[in-house]
Amino acid sequence: MSPIQNTPGGLRWMPLDNAAKIYPASRSRKWSNVFRLSVSLTEPVDTAVLRSALDVTVPRFPSIAARLRRGLFWYYLQQLEHSPELREESSYPLTPMSKEEVRRCALRVIVYQNRVSLEIFHSITDGNGALIFLKTLLAEYLQQKYGLAIPAEHGVLDRREEPREEELEDSFPKYAGPVQASRKGTNAFRMSGTPEPDGFLNVTCLELPVAEVLSKAHEYGISLTAFLCAAMMMAIQNLQAEQVPEVRRRRPVKVLLPVNLRPMFPSGTLRNFVLYTTPEIDPRLGAYSFPEICRVVQHKMGMEVNPKFMSTLIAANVSSEQIPVVKVMPLFVKNAVMKAVFRAVGERKSCMTLSNLGAVKLPRAMEPYVERFDFILGIQATAPYNCGVISWGDTLYINIIRNIREPELEYHLHCVLRDMGLTATVRSNKGRRS
Amino acid sequence: MYCINCGVKLADTEKKCPLCGVTACHPYIKQEEEVPLFPGQRYPTPQLPPRTAQIIITTLFLLPIFITLLCDLQINGAVVWSGYVVGALGMAYAIFVLPYWFRRPHSVAFTALSFMAIGLYVFYINQASGGDWFLTFALPVVGYVGTVVTAVAALLHRLRRGRLYIFGGAFLALGAFMPLMEYLIVATFCRPRFVGWSLYPMTALLLLGAMLIFLALNQPARERMERKFFL
């Protein structure tokens, strides 16, 4: 049986991909794994045109414009019959998606002034899949609004063509290696602070000139992602040194870096196809200098970010879902077990996630209409911070989200960057509130 | 504009520095009005907690009530002994489960309600067993203790400080009530085997209350106790 089926009504349904299975099990009333991608235009958004553009775009992406349904043994995705309603912006992003909401539609489209935002439950797709959806939606919007002729390139898909099977496939089982990687690892330092009341989430956006950051990264002989990861690790190290004066009591500083697998394996999937690497330093061995951290990150990435190692990680993840006993276990039992494992192990192995979607490229005709892009990750279930990075044009946007009051990590990151001569412009969602 | 404290460059939307909280100000630069990153004061509606747990617990309470009533009616043809079980379960439900149906249960109201439930149950026992001790013993005791505990809950709810005074006062009030309680027992049930027992709990409660008041008044002693007993 093909994994992607058509229902009698012509709506597609498909089992969740390997990486997506943990998200519905681990979600709770107060937390669900949701991320946001936004594009800000040079003019206010015309909601009528956007609605019409959504109506055209949604059928092209049956795996993204989808709802999450329960089977007896597994969850599955079902294509939406209609486009989702446009929503108004709130004073903070990424409120948890309730079970009912995910069952109705696992995708939010939010409009605020000149910004269109997508908030997506992570079971549906990863940042790269969501970016393709957003670019295609934007292309359709600009085409309808200004009559532009936009070619299907740089991640913009042709809205009139049928979705290809490879876009809807779960690519993980295809590329599982013969050897399974070990999941062992030390627990990381847990940042903490005063929780915000009523689940308020603080977003702080640091904006930096890409060229300057890139040239600084090249000074240390590393990529931009590795440089940002090193800067974040340095900031966490400094924060821990401030909060935990006794060196023996300090915990390893680890930052989880998602790795897009599409450039490594020939896959055109629009579903989750991402794994991770976790560079780490142990401050009990003494304070690391910035060049030392850069070397650690560079070597860790060099060792792990390659098809061979990633295939061992895929194999470890895929093998557990293919055990016959696990397959026939009812969904509620699987959920209970996965939730328990997630709570016990899940996020203890890193301090935070730093996800870099890279430089956004658009067809030339679209460029004059776009002001900026933003990528915001939801907070982790138990740790207060997360960080999403994206760059558009000359600017790098580092969006740090937290559910605590104290902006200490942001402050330390600013200090690390400032000491290297990188001046960030900062904006937040607290401006008019406090 | 730059933050005068931490030196970060602030976007025009920022009235305060997002990193250190210092108000953004410059005598010569007027901040332009820019669209804020997110609209202020538009908070999403919080999700209501699921009521599944409350429904399950209520069912668990209702099940024995139903079975007990059924058995009693089958055996005796009337409510004979099942009333005690139903009353006890009803009282426990009012005290322990009822507050969880509310999103923000009012601690003072529910404390008073708990003592009213206890009073009602005791009244039922008195009536069902044909006793005449409710008015002369149970009502004054439950009423007095209920008033003291509700007053403590109300003061804790209203005042942020002075917990030592509140608890000290409560212990003193309960200690002072002990001889009266002994008198009520003697007057209601007669022929006590040992008169004067109330002096012991009274002395303990008064000493405890006096000690708490002393600690509230004496800061060095309070700090010393904190050092000795911190967790």
Side-chain angles (χ1 to χ4, degrees), chain A residues 89 91 96 115 426 428 433, chain B residues 9 11 14 37 39 42-43 47:
Chain A
E89 185 67 279
S91 49
R115 183 172 67 204
V426 65
S428 73
R433 185 172 175 260
Chain B
K9 192 176 178 187
E14 303 308 307
L37 198 57
R42 199 188 292 162
Y43 302 111
Q47 286 180 38

Side-chain angles (χ1 to χ4, degrees), chain A residues 60-339:
Chain A
R60 176 67 184 81
F61 293 88
S63 65
I64 294 180
R67 57 170 82 183
L68 186 77
R69 307 300 300 264
R70 283 178 82 105
L72 182 61
F73 299 107
W74 296 105
Y75 284 101
Y76 63 93
L77 295 180
Q78 190 174 21
Q79 183 183 359
L80 293 177
E81 300 94 329
H82 310 290
S83 318
E85 289 293 317
L86 298 184
R87 288 169 168 244
E88 278 192 3
E89 185 67 279
S90 305
S91 49
Y92 63 94
L94 299 167
T95 49
M97 279 194 186
S98 67
K99 254 189 271 183
E100 293 71 29
E101 186 181 348
V102 171
R103 205 179 297 152
R104 281 196 309 273
C105 176
L107 163 85
R108 295 174 183 154
V109 183
I110 300 162
V111 179
Y112 172 61
Q113 305 276 350
N114 59 344
R115 183 172 67 204
V116 181
S117 307
L118 299 179
E119 289 191 351
I120 298 183
F121 189 57
H122 215 323
S123 287
I124 303 289
T125 184
D126 56 22
N128 292 284
L131 188 58
I132 290 175
F133 180 84
L134 183 63
K135 283 179 184 176
T136 309
L137 173 67
L138 183 64
E140 181 61 30
Y141 171 83
L142 294 175
Q143 188 171 325
Q144 289 192 20
K145 175 93 178 153
Y146 303 106
L148 303 179
I150 298 167
E153 59 179 20
H154 297 311
V156 173
L157 301 186
D158 186 348
R159 281 81 67 200
R160 271 86 196 168
E161 72 177 13
E162 277 292 300
R164 293 191 294 273
E165 287 299 304
E166 62 160 0
E167 291 170 6
L168 310 177
E169 72 175 15
D170 174 8
S171 291
F172 284 107
K174 257 170 97 173
Y175 301 109
V179 179
Q180 294 178 25
S182 163
R183 291 176 204 256
K184 278 183 190 164
T186 49
N187 286 350
F189 167 59
R190 306 300 286 167
M191 289 179 277
S192 59
T194 319
E196 282 282 5
D198 296 334
F200 189 89
L201 296 174
N202 293 287
V203 180
T204 309
C205 181
L206 303 178
E207 299 167 13
L208 291 146
V210 178
E212 282 181 29
V213 182
L214 207 54
S215 94
K216 191 53 78 176
H218 291 164
E219 259 180 46
Y220 290 97
I222 55 177
S223 69
L224 190 135
T225 307
F227 175 79
L228 291 176
C229 176
M232 190 61 86
M233 287 170 77
M234 186 80 187
I236 299 173
Q237 178 183 242
N238 295 347
L239 176 69
Q240 185 174 202
E242 210 174 84
Q243 290 182 349
V244 189
E246 203 181 327
V247 177
R248 275 188 310 128
R249 293 183 146 234
R250 290 182 192 162
R251 308 285 311 157
V253 171
K254 301 167 86 174
V255 171
L256 190 137
L257 284 178
V259 177
N260 179 18
L261 298 176
R262 290 170 187 86
M264 280 179 230
F265 301 100
S267 168
T269 186
L270 291 178
R271 300 174 67 193
N272 284 294
F273 197 41
V274 69
L275 273 172
Y276 54 84
T277 179
T278 316
E280 123 177 50
I281 55 167
D282 192 340
R284 286 172 295 191
L285 307 176
Y288 280 68
S289 66
F290 189 71
E292 279 176 328
I293 299 178
C294 287
R295 275 200 296 279
V296 168
V297 177
Q298 187 192 11
H299 291 303
K300 180 79 172 173
M301 288 179 76
M303 210 162 65
E304 295 192 352
V305 184
N306 57 66
K308 288 193 175 64
F309 186 81
M310 284 295 146
S311 73
T312 64
L313 273 182
I314 297 174
N317 292 344
V318 168
S319 68
S320 48
E321 74 171 16
Q322 288 177 340
I323 302 167
V325 181
V326 173
K327 279 187 171 180
V328 297
M329 239 180 232
L331 184 59
F332 72 91
V333 179
K334 282 191 194 108
N335 275 349
V337 173
M338 282 201 277
K339 196 163 199 160

Side-chain angles (χ1 to χ4, degrees), chain B residues 48-57 100-103:
Chain B
L48 290 174
R51 296 287 170 90
T52 328
Q54 287 95 316
I55 292 167
I56 291 171
I57 293 169
Y100 291 100
W101 281 100
F102 296 83
R103 207 167 147 238

Side-chain angles (χ1 to χ4, degrees), chain B:
Chain B
M1 191 186 297
Y2 291 85
C3 172
I4 54 163
N5 183 45
C6 69
V8 73
K9 192 176 178 187
L10 300 170
D12 280 341
T13 46
E14 303 308 307
K15 302 295 175 208
K16 281 183 177 180
C17 173
L19 304 188
C20 65
V22 169
T23 306
C25 77
H26 191 288
Y28 304 127
I29 300 175
K30 189 177 181 298
Q31 269 188 311
E32 286 173 26
E33 281 294 312
E34 239 189 56
V35 177
L37 198 57
F38 285 83
Q41 309 297 343
R42 199 188 292 162
Y43 302 111
T45 338
Q47 286 180 38
L48 290 174
R51 296 287 170 90
T52 328
Q54 287 95 316
I55 292 167
I56 291 171
I57 293 169
T58 307
T59 318
L60 287 177
F61 268 87
L62 285 175
L63 218 64
I65 288 177
F66 179 71
I67 292 168
T68 322
L69 274 173
L70 202 73
C71 291
D72 199 11
L73 289 172
Q74 280 281 329
I75 297 164
N76 301 312
V79 176
V80 181
W81 48 267
S82 59
Y84 299 111
V85 181
V86 173
L89 284 169
M91 182 183 73
Y93 188 85
I95 296 170
F96 299 113
V97 186
L98 201 59
Y100 291 100
W101 281 100
F102 296 83
R103 207 167 147 238
R104 283 182 187 153
H106 199 283
S107 57
V108 184
F110 275 101
T111 310
L113 190 83
S114 300
F115 280 95
M116 279 161 70
I118 295 169
L120 264 175
Y121 182 51
V122 174
F123 177 70
Y124 174 78
I125 295 173
N126 181 64
Q127 296 300 104
S129 59
D132 56 353
W133 43 265
F134 180 74
L135 284 178
T136 52
F137 173 67
L139 184 64
V141 171
V142 175
Y144 186 83
V145 176
T147 311
V148 171
V149 176
T150 309
V152 168
L155 288 170
L156 289 177
H157 185 74
R158 296 286 298 177
L159 307 173
R160 289 188 164 210
R161 305 186 64 187
R163 293 191 165 204
L164 286 172
Y165 287 110
I166 296 168
F167 286 111
F171 280 124
L172 291 179
L174 288 175
F177 181 65
M178 285 298 131
L180 182 62
M181 192 158 91
E182 187 179 357
Y183 169 75
L184 292 173
I185 292 172
V186 171
T188 311
F189 301 105
C190 306
R191 287 191 205 167
R193 292 177 72 184
F194 173 49
V195 180
W197 59 263
S198 62
L199 286 177
Y200 298 101
M202 184 186 79
T203 315
L205 286 165
L206 290 181
L207 277 175
L208 205 59
M211 195 182 78
L212 290 180
I213 301 273
F214 169 73
L215 286 177
L217 292 167
N218 190 325
Q219 193 181 351
R222 194 166 65 239
E223 282 170 0
R224 194 183 166 84
M225 295 301 271
E226 273 172 18
R227 277 203 301 278
K228 290 281 176 200
F229 294 106
F230 79 95
L231 287 172

